[in-house]
């Protein structure tokens, strides 16, 4: 369950924008534990005023999970383009973190397997050594 905090600066957050944002943020749920209630997604939407031609919109997402914090920022000519860009960036970060976690888990398992093989191999060497010593 993701708790979402939305903040709008120099921009009125209409129901269409909120619905569009909620629809886009549903895809983040695949990367978070469903039982984890401590997941918070802070979203800031802003219209930048310092540009000479037209409006430029900025979207920023900060996702706080038990594994860490993921943050992304994007700008676009429309608010929807900015939301789509920031969603893609956050998803890229989440996929990378999930892939890295899987690699670390596999690497740790491989090391454990190698360690147990070495121990079992040494055990037979010790048995052979002891039996040879007894035979002499």
């Amino acid at each position: 369950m993701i708790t979402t905090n939305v903040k709008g600066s120099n921009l009125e957050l209409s129901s269409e924008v909120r619905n569009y944002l909620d629809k886009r943020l549903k895809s983040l749920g695949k990367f978070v534990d469903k039982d984890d209630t401590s997941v918070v997604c802070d979203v800031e939407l802003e219209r930048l005023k310092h540009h000479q031609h037209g409006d430029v919109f900025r979207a920023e997402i900060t996702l706080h999970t038990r594994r860490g914090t993921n943050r992304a920022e994007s700008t676009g000519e429309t608010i929807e383009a900015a939301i789509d860009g920031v969603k893609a960036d956050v998803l890229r970060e989440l996929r990378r973190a999930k892939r890295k976690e899987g690699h670390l888990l596999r690497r740790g398992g491989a090391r454990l397997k190698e360690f147990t093989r070495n121990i079992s191999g040494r055990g037979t060497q010790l048995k052979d050594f002891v039996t040879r010593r007894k035979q002499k």
Side-chain angles (χ1 to χ4, degrees), residues 41-127:
C41 182
D42 295 324
V43 180
E44 183 177 350
L45 303 174
E46 179 180 18
R47 181 183 326 148
L48 301 175
K49 291 185 172 183
H50 63 273
H51 295 279
Q52 292 181 2
H53 299 290
D55 289 334
V56 175
F57 294 93
R58 182 180 78 87
E60 175 185 328
I61 292 179
T62 307
L63 186 68
H64 305 280
T65 62
R66 63 179 174 86
R67 292 185 182 119
T69 302
N70 296 312
R71 184 186 172 283
E73 183 177 340
S74 178
T75 58
E77 291 184 5
T78 63
I79 192 67
E80 289 85 4
I83 290 171
D84 290 341
V86 77
K87 178 196 128 189
D89 291 346
V90 167
L91 283 176
R92 186 179 323 113
E93 281 190 26
L94 289 172
R95 284 186 189 112
R96 181 178 179 268
K98 185 176 180 179
R99 190 171 49 242
K100 184 176 182 179
E101 188 176 305
H103 286 298
L104 289 175
L105 184 65
R106 273 190 235 112
R107 189 167 53 185
R111 285 186 179 173
L112 182 64
K113 187 175 181 179
E114 180 184 343
F115 178 74
T116 56
R117 282 183 176 170
N118 287 340
I119 288 177
S120 64
R122 288 183 183 153
T124 57
Q125 290 174 353
L126 285 174
K127 281 183 184 178

Side-chain angles (χ1 to χ4, degrees), residues 2 4 20-29 41 43 61:
I2 299 177
T4 306
Y20 188 82
L21 181 65
D22 290 338
K23 185 178 167 185
R24 294 299 184 246
L25 292 180
K26 280 184 183 178
S27 61
L28 300 179
C41 182
V43 180
I61 292 179

Side-chain angles (χ1 to χ4, degrees), residues 16-45:
E16 293 89 21
V17 172
R18 274 194 188 273
N19 290 337
Y20 188 82
L21 181 65
D22 290 338
K23 185 178 167 185
R24 294 299 184 246
L25 292 180
K26 280 184 183 178
S27 61
L28 300 179
K30 293 187 286 185
F31 295 96
V32 225
D33 294 335
K34 297 195 183 352
D35 300 331
D36 192 5
T37 58
S38 66
V39 177
V40 178
C41 182
D42 295 324
V43 180
E44 183 177 350
L45 303 174

